[in-house]
Each structure stands twice: as structure tokens, then as C-alpha cells.
Amino acid sequence: MERIYSRSTLRTYWEKHPETEQYLKTWYDTAISSNWKTPADVTKTYASASILKDSRIVFNIKGNAYRLITKFHFEKQWIFIRFIGTHNEYDKIDANTI
């Protein structure tokens, strides 16, 4: 079972942006029930996910209107939420270091 740090980050975001709620809940439910051991396992579930350096993976949310950046610790099955924002906001950050 995956551990996601932290769901409250997602909840806070969808409370401010209600149009993302169902999409983020679906991502969370999928991630928590998956047994991803490698980045390749993630892309089997989410083909559009972008694999970055340092175990970071970017997910497209709501048809790529939003981006979710995560940092994985595959051995411990932990996922850390590093960023959630619009595609425009994503373009202004460095996804490899956030």
C-alpha cells in the first residue's frame, strides 16, 4: 500500500479549485491502491505521466489543465506531493527541484 504525504494538500487545493476535486480524488484512490515499484509501473497506469530526475513524476490532472508533481520513494512505497497547480503555474517553476 502506498502512503501519500499528504492528502490534506490535495484537499486544500480542491477546496479552492472545486473543478479539480473528483480528478484529485481519483488520482489519490488509484495511487493508494497501486503497487508501483518503479517509474515504469506508474506509466503503465498513467501513460501521460512524465518521469523526471530524482524520483519525481508529473501527472496531468483534468485533461492537463492542472499538474501534480510528486516525489516517490519506491522502496518504502511513499509518495510526497510537491506541487499542484495550473499548467500556467507549472510553467513558472522548476519541476526537477520543487
Side-chain angles (χ1 to χ4, degrees):
M1 175 188 288
E2 304 273 353
R3 292 185 184 180
I4 300 173
Y5 300 96
S6 103
R7 185 170 194 240
S8 64
T9 302
L10 298 176
R11 184 180 305 113
T12 299
Y13 196 83
W14 78 55
E15 286 172 353
K16 291 179 184 175
H17 305 276
E19 69 279 9
T20 66
E21 181 175 2
Q22 192 54 53
Y23 297 92
L24 291 171
K25 284 181 175 179
T26 298
W27 177 86
Y28 180 90
D29 291 343
T30 301
I32 205 78
S33 64
S34 295
N35 189 23
W36 295 325
K37 303 266 189 220
T38 67
D41 290 341
V42 176
T43 58
K44 287 177 187 172
T45 305
Y46 286 101
S48 65
S50 299
I51 309 301
L52 306 179
K53 67 181 182 178
D54 198 26
S55 299
R56 284 178 168 77
I57 300 178
V58 180
F59 295 89
N60 298 324
I61 304 295
K62 194 175 185 271
N64 204 21
Y66 296 85
R67 293 281 180 95
L68 173 65
I69 301 174
T70 59
K71 181 175 171 77
F72 277 72
H73 189 295
F74 286 102
E75 185 177 306
K76 292 186 179 179
Q77 292 285 286
W78 292 347
I79 303 172
F80 298 91
I81 305 298
R82 304 296 297 150
F83 170 87
I84 177 74
T86 65
H87 198 278
N88 190 38
E89 292 167 333
Y90 171 84
D91 287 341
K92 296 176 183 175
I93 60 149
D94 182 350
N96 286 299
T97 60
I98 196 162

